[in-house]
Amino acid sequence: MARGARLDAYPARLRRSVRRVKVVLRKSGVDYFRGDGSDWIALAGLLLTVPAITLLTVTTPVWADPAALVLPIVAGGLLLRPASLLALYAAAAGALIVESAVLGPYPEGAARVTPGTVLVVAACGLFGLLIAQFRARVGVPWRRGGTMLFDLRERIRVQSALPRLPKGWHHEMALRPAGGQSFSGDFVVAARTHGGRTLEVVLTDVSGKGMDAGSRALLLSGAFGGLLGSLPPHGFLPAANGYLLRQDWDEGFATSIHLVLDLDSGDYELLSAGHLPALQLHAGSGRWEEKSGEGPLLGVYDGADFHPVKGSLRPGDVLMLFTDGLVEAADRDIAEGIDRLTGEADRYVASGFEGAAWHLIEACAKDVNDDRALLLITREA
């Protein structure tokens, strides 16, 4: 019986051992992809390619040139840490010495290790070492850098998501960064406050554009999202202004417009910090009206006052918030851009502005080299 138990226990122990090995390998792979694990696996693989390339060069010099050693060196510059990279460079230097000894002096024919080959390999090694040192200083390996940028973009997108509105209301937003990039200096934060009866939306345009403004927009969107709903509506812009001043950025100003909308009555307040006016379409008259509060840019001086403007959305009315990239261009002033925007928007009155935000950017500012954002809020008739 004891012997049979031992025999039965052996497969169980084997399965547990295999499972532990799988867990360790999986964890090592995940850590390596995230940049938290050791790079010994990559180093071992690249070290094995060095003698393989050397063997091919010695046996078939016509097909494998001595300069092929730059391939593991370039890969090492992307995969390895600086200390590991030096070990790879030592192996490549040894391989060049072996190839030179076996193939003979370079004046005797082609496919030899020439001074030019040594210079090419050394130059690639230098660039690879500089790249590795830069990554080590930043602390973001290349294999993790793309994932981090993707995560940052998704965080901005999630923070800009608009909350669901009750029946009788419709909203949509479109945002297009400058130059087709993934990051924009324009962003939106929104929340339903006072038990869901009030919709608060803040549209902000950070100075700069594209990647230059994207990092500041990410920081500000997180801060503004925390402030929104935590303060009375009239206290939001002063708090945001103080936050920007504390950052002490060289190019740290921003424009912002804050909408406080009562979803029961349709009454609203607009507070502006140097932002372009909002546009309201009155369903009864079919005319667009500019609605703008008074206030300075955010991040310019302390103690700024922001004075609201009031209005009301009746059934069929539309409120449009946008940034200057949508209406401003070198060949026209802002007034002409606003006229063009409202003219294009009139085409969507009959359809209730379903899907209109993206099409308005396409029609009014498709090829503009600036960040563009447009928000539409409609009260259904």
Side-chain angles (χ1 to χ4, degrees), residues 115-356:
T117 303
V118 177
L119 288 176
V120 169
V121 174
C124 291
L126 176 61
F127 287 127
L129 184 60
L130 292 175
I131 293 173
Q133 288 178 339
F134 175 77
R135 288 190 287 104
R137 185 167 63 251
V138 174
V140 181
W142 77 276
R143 56 188 180 274
R144 180 62 176 160
T147 306
M148 285 188 62
L149 291 176
F150 177 78
D151 290 344
L152 292 176
R153 186 187 67 181
E154 288 303 298
R155 287 178 184 273
I156 294 177
R157 185 186 64 82
V158 170
Q159 289 175 352
S160 298
L162 300 175
R164 186 182 298 274
L165 297 185
K167 185 178 180 181
W169 292 92
H170 170 72
H171 62 64
E172 60 181 82
M173 184 191 70
L175 190 151
R176 184 176 297 186
Q181 300 182 35
S182 299
F183 297 91
S184 173
D186 298 347
F187 66 88
V188 172
V189 291
R192 289 182 64 176
T193 58
H194 300 95
R197 298 188 305 272
T198 302
L199 172 68
E200 293 192 48
V201 180
V202 177
L203 174 61
T204 303
D205 183 358
V206 179
S207 58
K209 58 188 176 182
M211 290 291 291
D212 294 335
S215 59
R216 296 197 299 272
L218 176 64
L219 179 62
L220 291 181
S221 63
F224 286 10
L227 293 174
L228 193 67
S230 302
L231 296 171
H234 289 196
F236 174 82
L237 287 181
N241 182 57
Y243 180 81
L244 257 73
L245 289 172
R246 290 192 298 271
Q247 304 312 304
D248 196 24
W249 289 329
D250 292 336
E251 192 179 2
F253 66 88
T255 69
S256 192
I257 188 167
H258 181 195
L259 169 67
V260 184
L261 173 63
D262 188 322
L263 296 173
D264 292 333
S265 64
D267 297 334
Y268 67 83
E269 282 189 339
L270 277 172
L271 298 102
S272 177
H275 202 83
L276 293 174
L279 296 174
Q280 179 178 353
L281 173 65
H282 297 277
S285 63
R287 298 180 59 185
W288 291 90
E289 179 188 3
E290 293 187 4
K291 308 286 286 189
S292 178
E294 296 181 2
L297 299 170
L298 295 178
V300 175
Y301 62 88
D302 198 7
D305 292 327
F306 303 93
H307 303 287
V309 63
K310 297 183 178 182
S312 182
L313 288 177
R314 304 303 179 192
D317 286 1
V318 180
L319 189 66
M320 188 183 331
L321 310 180
F322 52 91
T323 56
D324 58 1
L326 199 64
V327 296
E328 189 176 23
D331 57 346
R332 68 167 185 260
D333 58 23
I334 293 180
E336 293 177 356
I338 292 177
D339 289 341
R340 181 179 179 183
L341 176 61
T342 54
E344 292 289 341
D346 286 336
R347 299 168 52 190
Y348 296 93
V349 173
S351 62
F353 285 84
E354 290 282 347

